[in-house]
Amino acid sequence: MQLAGINIFNVALFHDVMKKAKRSFTPETVVPCVLHLFDHSDFVLKGKALVTLAMMSQLSQDAILAFCSKNAVGILERLNKEKVDYLGSCVQIVCDTLLGKVDDIMEAIANEIRKTKLQDNACYFTVVVYLTASPLFRSRIMTPNFLHNAAEFVARLEDIAVCPAAAKFKEELFILLEAISQSTNALVQHNETVLKYLVPALLQLVNSPMADVRLFGLRVFISMFETFMTNPSIYTLQLPGNTSTQLLNKVISHNILASGARLLQDDEPVPTFFLTALNVILRRNIAFIEDLWRLSLVPEPLWVHALAGNFHAARAVLIIVEAADTTKPQLYKADIVGLVCEMLKRSYDRGWQYLFEPALDIALCLVKSDENHMWSKENKGLLQVSSVIAVLMSHTEGSVSKRSASLLLILFQLYRDTKGAFTADFIATSLAHASKLLALKVLLKIAQNVLQQVPLTASHLRHSKLFASTIARLGSGSSDQATAGVAQQIAALLGTD
């Protein structure tokens, strides 16, 4: 009975009978009945209902809106997964019909917006949002024309702000932009369209006086920006004439970095979004470091954000230090050693575990890259955090303990004869509190070297009761034979074996 009824209804739709009798064809009455058929077990009946959905959508945008509001998109996604060829074909017919209506809806809204009004067609934008959010439609819906219209909507938001429908339209537009930003394949495929039209429109949002709009625009922009910058087919330094690379370089120079000082002074999380983008930029093209100096983004305010515990700021500082060649004098003049020492102190005192690695990496880079000892005097300042470094050698994270051990050994090799650097008290206390095998091995190595080659400190060590008791404990109680052996050798040097 249901199958016969739906067949008659479809024939009527096909011959345009229902369109002529508009009073009998209201989405509010028909749509629930059609959707109810999708719960039936008969795949033929469900296929006929899909044909109904397609024909009603062809005749009326109100029907499309009603279907979408009743989760028709979710039903289509479910039916598309059923392994029945007939149903699959019917689903594709519906998809093709709905996609064919999207351009009409977008263009109708665009025409209204160009006249600085938003009236009759704004309600159908909901349909576009529903379809764009679905993986069944997303890849096909994002055509260059669709993206161009979306960009125009963003660019003209302020022009229609006084329209009654503007608030809802803005909310739905932001949902649409979020979906676009997460559509990696579409962004890559249409990257030039996005870069030419949508990105400039989003950057207008970043300059909005309204904090929520500014934050949203920046977040969506950064998402798209990362997709482009990390794709070697879009951003490449090997092909300087590449259109996408040129467009991105222009955005970086004229928009992102030029706005850096203002964005870094904004409330969180705006600075973090900017610093995230900065890391992406510097990882792909270190030439922009020169722009950071020119625009006075370093040393301040980048140093300030690194000291405030911002991980992305710390990573950006690391990239700058790693790439330093001609800018080394500028870095030391900006007290890069003081910065990293303060970063280590604060991260240790305040429990900023995530900052240990970048801070240690910066310090390691400074001492390792100074092969000719040109900056030995400046790097000596790292000794002021030697106690923190010694403690971090016993950190539970292996990456932190290994970095700390490497750094302390390098500092010892460079400055072991420096007065007040590796004192007997420092060695004895650090060794007594070391809880990790790596830390014990490094400190025992340092102690052994001091006893053999640094007479004054060796004399103080021989008189340290703490050092003697620790050596005795390690020599007799260490589970590691190598560590116990070194401790016994040191005990022999002390004359306490």
Side-chain angles (χ1 to χ4, degrees), residues 186-203:
L187 289 173
V188 171
Q189 183 181 358
H190 305 298
N191 66 85
E192 287 191 23
T193 300
V194 175
L195 285 166
K196 285 179 181 178
Y197 302 106
L198 190 52
V199 164
L202 286 171
L203 290 169

Side-chain angles (χ1 to χ4, degrees), residues 285-355:
N285 191 347
I286 60 172
F288 282 109
I289 291 175
E290 293 182 11
D291 293 69
L292 299 183
W293 288 101
R294 179 177 56 81
L295 294 167
S296 299
L297 293 175
V298 288
E300 292 185 3
L302 188 59
W303 270 217
V304 173
H305 283 275
L307 289 175
N310 190 295
F311 173 78
H312 301 285
R315 294 296 301 177
V317 173
L318 173 60
I319 296 172
I320 293 169
V321 172
E322 287 176 336
D325 187 10
T326 57
T327 60
K328 266 195 175 181
Q330 290 172 277
L331 279 172
Y332 281 102
K333 186 178 179 181
D335 194 19
I336 185 64
V337 174
L339 170 69
V340 72
C341 286
E342 191 61 29
M343 284 171 64
L344 281 168
K345 287 178 186 176
R346 292 191 186 188
S347 58
Y348 177 72
D349 291 341
R350 302 178 187 185
W352 294 341
Q353 304 285 328
Y354 58 88
L355 214 59

Side-chain angles (χ1 to χ4, degrees), residues 384-492:
Q384 63 183 289
V385 288
S386 55
S387 59
V388 173
I389 298 169
V391 171
L392 291 180
M393 287 196 300
S394 294
H395 197 277
T396 53
E397 286 290 333
S399 56
V400 174
S401 59
K402 288 177 183 177
R403 284 171 167 82
S404 303
S406 297
L407 180 57
L408 195 67
L409 280 173
I410 293 173
L411 291 176
F412 176 72
Q413 292 164 6
L414 291 172
Y415 305 111
R416 66 181 179 183
D417 296 319
T418 300
K419 184 179 180 180
F422 290 86
T423 64
D425 182 60
F426 167 77
I427 296 171
T429 303
S430 299
L431 189 61
H433 291 93
S435 60
K436 203 167 186 177
L437 185 60
L438 176 62
L440 291 170
K441 287 182 175 180
V442 169
L443 289 165
L444 285 172
K445 182 177 182 179
I446 289 173
Q448 192 174 36
N449 190 287
V450 164
L451 286 168
Q452 293 173 337
Q453 299 185 30
V454 189
L456 183 59
T457 307
S459 175
H460 292 152
L461 265 182
R462 288 191 174 91
H463 290 87
S464 171
K465 292 181 179 180
L466 177 62
F467 182 68
S469 63
T470 304
I471 291 298
R473 173 172 56 81
L474 293 173
S476 60
S478 176
S479 59
D480 181 70
Q481 290 185 354
T483 300
V486 175
Q488 290 165 10
Q489 292 174 17
I490 291 175

Side-chain angles (χ1 to χ4, degrees), residues 161-379:
V162 296
C163 299
K168 183 184 178 185
F169 180 75
K170 172 185 163 185
E171 181 182 336
E172 293 184 330
L173 179 58
F174 281 10
I175 295 172
L176 179 72
L177 292 171
E178 190 87 56
I180 293 173
S181 72
Q182 295 169 3
S183 305
T184 303
N185 292 338
L187 289 173
V188 171
Q189 183 181 358
H190 305 298
N191 66 85
E192 287 191 23
T193 300
V194 175
L195 285 166
K196 285 179 181 178
Y197 302 106
L198 190 52
V199 164
L202 286 171
L203 290 169
Q204 283 185 224
L205 297 184
V206 175
N207 294 323
S208 170
M210 293 181 287
D212 61 328
V213 174
R214 194 163 59 246
L215 176 59
F216 174 82
L218 188 58
R219 179 164 56 83
V220 172
F221 164 73
I222 295 299
S223 178
M224 294 183 186
F225 181 72
E226 283 193 78
T227 298
F228 295 143
M229 290 295 291
T230 55
N231 189 308
S233 68
I234 296 175
Y235 190 83
T236 173
L237 300 179
Q238 281 68 46
L239 298 171
N242 179 281
T243 302
S244 297
T245 301
Q246 291 179 337
L247 288 169
L248 282 163
N249 282 337
K250 184 178 178 181
V251 168
I252 293 168
S253 297
H254 297 172
N255 299 105
I256 301 177
L257 298 184
S259 302
R262 175 176 56 81
L263 294 173
L264 287 172
Q265 291 175 354
D266 208 328
D267 296 330
E268 284 290 355
V270 170
T272 295
F273 279 123
F274 168 78
L275 291 167
T276 300
L278 181 60
N279 273 269
V280 174
I281 293 166
L282 297 182
R283 282 198 298 268
R284 297 291 285 121
N285 191 347
I286 60 172
F288 282 109
I289 291 175
E290 293 182 11
D291 293 69
L292 299 183
W293 288 101
R294 179 177 56 81
L295 294 167
S296 299
L297 293 175
V298 288
E300 292 185 3
L302 188 59
W303 270 217
V304 173
H305 283 275
L307 289 175
N310 190 295
F311 173 78
H312 301 285
R315 294 296 301 177
V317 173
L318 173 60
I319 296 172
I320 293 169
V321 172
E322 287 176 336
D325 187 10
T326 57
T327 60
K328 266 195 175 181
Q330 290 172 277
L331 279 172
Y332 281 102
K333 186 178 179 181
D335 194 19
I336 185 64
V337 174
L339 170 69
V340 72
C341 286
E342 191 61 29
M343 284 171 64
L344 281 168
K345 287 178 186 176
R346 292 191 186 188
S347 58
Y348 177 72
D349 291 341
R350 302 178 187 185
W352 294 341
Q353 304 285 328
Y354 58 88
L355 214 59
F356 288 148
E357 284 191 32
L360 290 167
D361 281 339
I362 294 169
L364 280 167
C365 186
L366 290 173
V367 293
K368 285 183 176 181
S369 63
D370 189 28
E371 296 176 355
N372 299 321
H373 306 294
M374 288 181 60
W375 305 101
S376 180
K377 181 180 178 182
E378 288 77 8
N379 287 338

